[in-house]
Amino acid sequence: MSDAQAALQDREINRSHMTVSDEIAIEISNMNKWYGTFHVLRDINLTVNRGERIVICGPSGSGKSTLIRCINALEEHQKGNITVDGTVLSTDLKNIDKIRSEVGMVFQHFNLFPHLTILENCTLAPIWVRKVPKREAEETAMYFLEKVKIPEQANKYPGQLSGGQQQRVAIARSLCMRPRIMLFDEPTSALDPEMIKEVLDTMIALAEEGMTMLCVTHEMGFAQAVANRVIFMDQGQIIEQNEPKAFFNNPQNERTKLFLSQILGH
Amino acid sequence: MSETHAHSAAFVRTAILPPAAPPPGQTGVLRWMRENLFSSIPNALLTLLALYFVYTILAAILPWTLNGIWDAGSLTECRAIRDERGLSTAACWAVINERWLQLLFGFYPIDAPLLARLFYADELAAAGGMDAVFGPGSNATARIEFVGTMRAELGNALVFFFGYWRPLLALALLVVAVAPVLYNNLPRGMLIFSLIYPFLAVFLLWGGSIWGPISVALGLALSLYILKYAGARFGGLLGGLAMIVTLLCFFFNPLSLLGISGLFPLLPHVSGLLGTILPFGLPAITSDDFGGFMLAIIIGTSGIVLSLPLGIVLALGRQSSMPLIKWVCVTFIEVIRGVPLIVWLFTASLLLNYFLPPGTNFDLLLRVIIMVTLFASAYLAEVVRGGLAALPKGQYEAADSLGLDYWKSMRLIVLPQALKISIPGIVNTFIGLFKDTTLVVFIGLRDPLGLTNAIRATGEWNGIYWELYVFVALLFFVFCFFMSRYSMYLERKLATDRR
Ligand SMILES: Nc1ncnc2c1ncn2[C@@H]1O[C@H](COP(=O)(O)OP(=O)(O)OP(=O)(O)O)[C@@H](O)[C@H]1O
Ligand SMILES: [Mg+2]
């Protein structure tokens, strides 16, 4: 068990706001995607209710990133339907921009804007997309920077921050748009163990507030601590999904068992 | 610190060391020379060889330059003075001393009435006063003679400051207009002047009624207003269409195909009307009189200012996912780049008139500026494309994932970074453009090099080459060197992604 996982277990998790409602946040039905002739995602069916915290895992190349990138249309799917917050994803650009402003995304490599300060990174989208006045956007930005515990870095440039700090800024930047859903694509896999903990702490705090989250991650400690569902993908398909306890202690599919034994080192 | 403590660790620092100054320096000239010039025998040999080269070159140039003769009326006089002083070589700077105004301004007319009124009042009165010399029915030969003697008596410096006040003022204001664009710590309000400047400069340089440039500005402002208003009310496409119609009606004659003329373009009606209400203007000067280094600056700055936005649009178009736009941009870039500039200049001077609707009399200088702009923009498009390609894909994705639309993500995220990466290439293109303005000599414009020919054609200065070329080279060097230094300043200032 890694240091980060051990650190997570010390933490008392406040579950009072972690409630799953009946309202549907994301609905994916019979979704298929090809890269050229390569069939990456095959018949994906997935319903995410508001307030759910879902962890997606699976071997490299299984299509995890592609799946969550389809949800905010960074990748185009060719068959099936994706409905986000009641809006069906189509090729209409207006429609896509609307969904993107409701769905926050955190990348493996942070993707902060290096030519803007931390504060400007956080206020840019609210000002230009949401048309929030500058003052108000800055106040919101400082609020979220305090949440991720780096308000003192607000006037630095991304290049002056450590990896963990940058990733926390990236999370704050997404939150400033007040998204209803957050997508995470391996947010900790480019970080050192010490920084992994800071970022996971931030993500747990987010989960505690009842945010709907889809996380691609191999941090099984995180999955056990906050996820209410773990999804295992292989070769572009969802192989197995279950509550964390059952998923880890009693996997059903052979491939899931193999994957878990490799990743947990049993 | 005397007793031993019962530590569990073998060593624990109890006092933190204060920061120390770096070790005493790599100072001393001898040490520097030993390390940098004579660190090994081959290096020492190379140093000596280089010194020898520098010496031979300076030995050839310096005496010629420094012994130069400044006061002489012709090349023959120069040579006589040289022999008298017993010098083997000496530059004849006298030609610059006498003709520098011509090299700077070509045959751009001086404001003779102003000079006469300010510094030559007595002689003016003797010659019969302002109206007799400069008035409508005055004798041209007498006037030319009067101006000639006045110039000779007043001297070049006075003529420079007061005779050429129009181009000088235009240049000074150019500095003011460009400053807020170049240095963003200046007040932003100055940008308004930068927008007004082009019209002001046209008025100062070409003269004529002030209402001409103002009407053009009004026409452009009206078109933009219509784009905004109609765009907000009826959607972007209709707004764009309305703007194009407005532009056509204002600046061209859309009915010319039907053989109807007189109503359109609206421009002359507007400026004519304003001119009758409140006549105000400067003596008009035609493009044929423009010349010298001034011409290089006019063509160069217009080309630079206009080609950058066009180049950016072309670079974005080339990356577009829409095949038609992409195809048009690629064709444009490749065709323009694939043909030498001089061919385009000949096209501008000779062929363009055949393609334009009959009756349009298109200023040659304007045509040259358009050609130079198009040419530079094709190069810039490729430079900017390099910058766009160098940007990590994650930047585009992050901008997309925040819900920024295409234009906003380009303007706020992609272009600031891509342009920063491309600064050296962009400035390189600008410097090239600026120097290429000398090519206009081949289509009959009087650029500084063309003027050296004109000066040599006079009896006094027949046979003089080097001095004129050195002077012209120096003028160009100063400008190009400023551009290159500025680009380095900009790169340093924008380097935020490094620690
Ligand atoms: N742009 C692309 N063009 C073609 N094939 C691609 C492209 N992007 C991904 N693929 C392929 O699609 C498959 C799924 O990729 P994806 O990035 O979704 O995997 P992943 O599960 O996120 O893997 P990892 O854990 O390594 O991030 C891989 O086999 C990959 O090679
Ligand atoms: Mg991935």
Side-chain angles (χ1 to χ4, degrees):
Chain A
M1 194 174 276
S2 76
D3 292 352
Q5 282 173 353
L8 285 180
Q9 299 210 323
D10 297 342
R11 181 174 167 154
E12 196 66 46
I13 289 176
N14 174 3
R15 296 182 181 277
S16 57
H17 294 287
M18 286 188 174
T19 46
V20 176
S21 78
D22 292 340
E23 195 188 333
I24 291 175
I26 303 172
E27 185 163 26
I28 301 175
S29 55
N30 294 321
M31 193 260 279
N32 282 267
K33 168 159 184 68
W34 287 263
Y35 281 123
T37 56
F38 174 52
H39 200 170
V40 217
L41 294 178
R42 310 177 195 180
D43 272 333
I44 302 284
N45 286 292
L46 178 65
T47 307
V48 182
N49 286 6
R50 189 157 308 292
E52 276 204 280
R53 292 127 354 240
I54 294 179
V55 162
I56 304 172
C57 61
S60 180
S62 54
K64 309 177 297 285
S65 299
T66 312
L67 171 61
I68 69 165
R69 289 158 61 86
C70 281
I71 294 173
N72 69 350
L74 284 184
E75 301 286 355
E76 208 181 331
H77 61 282
Q78 278 86 31
K79 219 180 113 190
N81 277 322
I82 300 180
T83 313
V84 181
D85 254 345
T87 315
V88 181
L89 238 176
S90 62
T91 48
D92 181 16
L93 287 178
K94 282 239 169 67
N95 187 337
I96 290 178
D97 283 335
K98 180 172 174 296
I99 287 180
R100 282 174 179 166
S101 62
E102 304 293 337
V103 179
M105 175 132 186
V106 177
F107 299 86
Q108 180 175 1
H109 295 290
F110 331 135
N111 295 351
L112 294 179
F113 305 129
H115 63 299
L116 301 176
T117 63
I118 301 306
L119 190 63
E120 288 165 344
N121 263 279
C122 293
T123 55
L124 183 114
I127 290 175
W128 290 94
V129 179
R130 290 248 192 273
K131 314 278 182 220
V132 175
K134 189 164 177 243
R135 279 279 301 281
E136 197 184 319
E138 282 176 354
E139 276 162 24
T140 316
M142 286 315 293
Y143 170 78
F144 283 112
L145 285 174
E146 258 156 50
K147 274 232 140 120
V148 301
K149 304 204 179 69
I150 33 177
E152 71 283 356
Q153 314 284 4
N155 291 314
K156 288 193 181 166
Y157 285 94
Q160 297 167 312
L161 267 55
S162 76
Q165 290 173 325
Q166 290 194 42
Q167 192 61 296
R168 284 183 284 156
V169 172
I171 294 174
R173 177 176 72 179
S174 295
L175 292 177
C176 284
M177 286 293 282
R178 307 235 180 230
R180 310 188 67 188
I181 300 165
M182 285 286 284
L183 308 174
F184 294 83
D185 190 1
E186 307 205 27
T188 56
S189 54
L191 299 174
D192 294 338
E194 215 170 318
M195 301 175 184
I196 292 181
K197 183 180 172 306
E198 343 175 314
V199 172
L200 290 182
D201 269 341
T202 311
M203 289 167 63
I204 290 172
L206 204 55
E208 283 174 339
E209 289 180 4
M211 176 65 80
T212 311
M213 296 164 74
L214 261 83
C215 313
V216 175
T217 181
H218 291 145
E219 292 297 332
M220 292 307 155
F222 174 78
Q224 275 161 338
V226 297
N228 66 318
R229 196 155 31 129
V230 181
I231 293 178
F232 175 68
M233 282 185 73
D234 195 12
Q235 293 175 9
Q237 303 164 65
I238 295 180
I239 304 288
E240 186 166 346
Q241 49 176 314
N242 214 332
E243 293 184 345
K245 240 184 215 132
F247 181 85
F248 289 111
N249 299 334
N250 190 16
Q252 301 297 311
N253 191 294
E254 282 310 312
R255 284 193 249 174
T256 320
K257 285 180 193 167
L258 183 67
F259 175 76
L260 282 177
S261 71
Q262 280 167 352
I263 199 164
L264 297 175
H266 286 164
Chain B
M1 295 275 133
S2 51
E3 280 93 11
T4 41
H5 297 271
H7 288 311
S8 55
F11 171 78
V12 175
R13 189 180 287 288
T14 51
I16 300 298
L17 292 178
Q26 323 291 73
T27 47
V29 180
L30 281 179
R31 181 181 178 151
W32 181 87
M33 282 176 57
R34 197 178 61 233
E35 279 179 1
N36 293 291
L37 300 179
F38 302 102
S39 59
S40 67
I41 292 177
N43 279 359
L45 281 178
L46 283 176
T47 303
L48 291 176
L49 200 67
L51 281 178
Y52 176 73
F53 265 120
V54 174
Y55 169 77
T56 17
I57 291 170
L58 287 184
I61 293 177
L62 277 187
W64 180 80
T65 315
L66 298 178
N67 289 336
I69 291 147
W70 287 90
D71 254 328
S74 70
L75 189 57
T76 357
E77 266 181 51
C78 256
R79 289 191 175 137
I81 295 174
R82 183 190 66 193
D83 295 340
E84 198 178 297
R85 292 188 191 161
L87 300 168
S88 58
T89 64
C92 185
W93 297 125
V95 65
I96 309 295
N97 199 4
E98 189 188 299
R99 297 299 184 104
W100 58 280
L101 282 179
Q102 196 180 359
L103 285 171
L104 290 183
F105 298 106
F107 296 108
Y108 193 87
I110 58 171
D111 193 345
L114 179 75
L115 275 174
R117 196 176 294 144
L118 288 180
F119 304 104
Y120 216 55
D122 298 343
E123 289 83 348
L124 184 64
M130 198 49 115
D131 278 345
V133 182
F134 296 108
S138 63
N139 182 336
T141 348
R143 183 169 67 237
I144 290 169
E145 197 179 324
F146 178 82
V147 171
T149 40
M150 178 175 74
R151 278 189 79 142
E153 268 184 49
L154 292 182
N156 279 342
L158 272 185
V159 174
F160 174 69
F161 283 113
F162 295 94
Y164 292 109
W165 67 272
R166 282 164 58 175
L168 279 188
L169 185 62
L171 181 66
L173 293 178
L174 172 68
V175 175
V176 179
V178 164
V181 181
L182 296 188
Y183 300 100
N184 67 356
N185 43 9
L186 292 170
R188 296 294 80 195
M190 284 176 75
L191 283 171
I192 295 179
F193 179 73
S194 310
L195 281 181
I196 299 173
Y197 176 75
F199 304 100
L200 190 59
V202 167
F203 173 62
L204 279 173
L205 291 170
W206 276 269
S209 164
I210 194 170
W211 298 110
I214 289 183
S215 307
V216 173
L218 283 179
L220 292 177
L222 182 72
S223 312
L224 283 181
Y225 176 77
I226 284 182
L227 172 69
K228 207 172 155 202
Y229 177 77
R233 262 201 86 174
F234 309 111
L237 195 68
L238 273 177
L241 221 62
M243 181 183 80
I244 291 173
V245 170
T246 320
L247 281 176
L248 278 178
C249 292
F250 209 85
F251 294 103
F252 302 93
N253 183 4
L255 301 180
S256 69
L257 287 177
L258 305 175
I260 303 172
S261 60
L263 178 58
F264 294 119
L266 293 173
L267 179 66
H269 300 305
V270 174
S271 63
L273 183 69
L274 290 169
T276 47
I277 296 172
L278 192 73
F280 177 73
L282 288 170
I285 294 166
T286 62
S287 295
D288 299 340
D289 294 330
F290 282 55
F293 197 61
M294 184 180 107
L295 191 68
I297 295 182
I298 291 173
I299 299 175
T301 39
S302 330
I304 285 171
V305 170
L306 297 172
S307 65
L308 187 59
L310 190 59
I312 292 173
V313 169
L314 284 171
L316 292 178
R318 194 169 185 163
Q319 287 216 322
S320 167
S321 52
M322 284 181 262
L324 186 67
I325 292 180
K326 184 175 172 157
W327 185 81
V328 167
C329 290
V330 171
T331 315
F332 179 89
I333 292 171
E334 297 302 340
V335 169
I336 294 271
R337 262 200 324 173
V339 177
L341 176 59
I342 189 75
V343 173
W344 291 122
L345 289 177
F346 277 122
T347 313
S349 82
L350 303 171
L351 291 176
L352 222 52
N353 267 356
Y354 294 109
F355 297 121
L356 292 171
T360 35
N361 184 18
F362 213 176
D363 194 273
L364 178 61
L365 187 51
L366 191 59
R367 278 185 267 163
V368 166
I369 288 175
I370 291 174
M371 273 305 175
V372 168
T373 301
L374 296 182
F375 193 74
S377 67
Y379 277 87
L380 280 176
E382 288 300 281
V383 171
V384 173
R385 187 168 70 99
L388 290 173
L391 210 61
K393 200 165 152 251
Q395 292 291 311
Y396 293 85
E397 289 178 351
D400 284 348
S401 76
L402 286 170
L404 294 167
D405 61 28
Y406 175 81
W407 290 109
K408 282 182 193 142
S409 73
M410 285 301 140
R411 201 177 112 207
L412 301 166
I413 309 298
V414 175
L415 281 177
Q417 296 185 65
L419 290 179
K420 188 179 93 187
I421 301 172
S422 334
I423 287 172
I426 291 175
V427 174
N428 202 18
T429 311
F430 284 168
I431 289 178
L433 181 158
F434 191 63
K435 290 185 298 179
D436 281 350
T437 56
T438 48
L439 285 177
V440 300
V441 67
F442 292 111
I443 55 169
L445 292 181
R446 294 194 199 84
D447 91 305
L449 284 182
L451 285 166
T452 63
N453 289 332
I455 292 174
R456 242 193 320 278
T458 60
E460 302 96 64
W461 303 113
N462 199 342
I464 197 158
Y465 286 91
W466 283 100
E467 292 80 352
L468 293 170
Y469 288 147
V470 167
F471 182 70
V472 172
L474 218 70
L475 287 176
F476 275 100
F477 178 79
V478 168
F479 268 73
C480 296
F481 190 68
F482 167 76
M483 284 196 252
S484 115
R485 287 286 121 173
Y486 176 75
S487 94
M488 287 161 116
Y489 156 83
L490 203 59
E491 275 174 67
R492 241 177 300 125
K493 197 185 75 163
L494 296 180
T496 57
D497 50 352
R498 270 159 256 141
R499 281 163 200 248

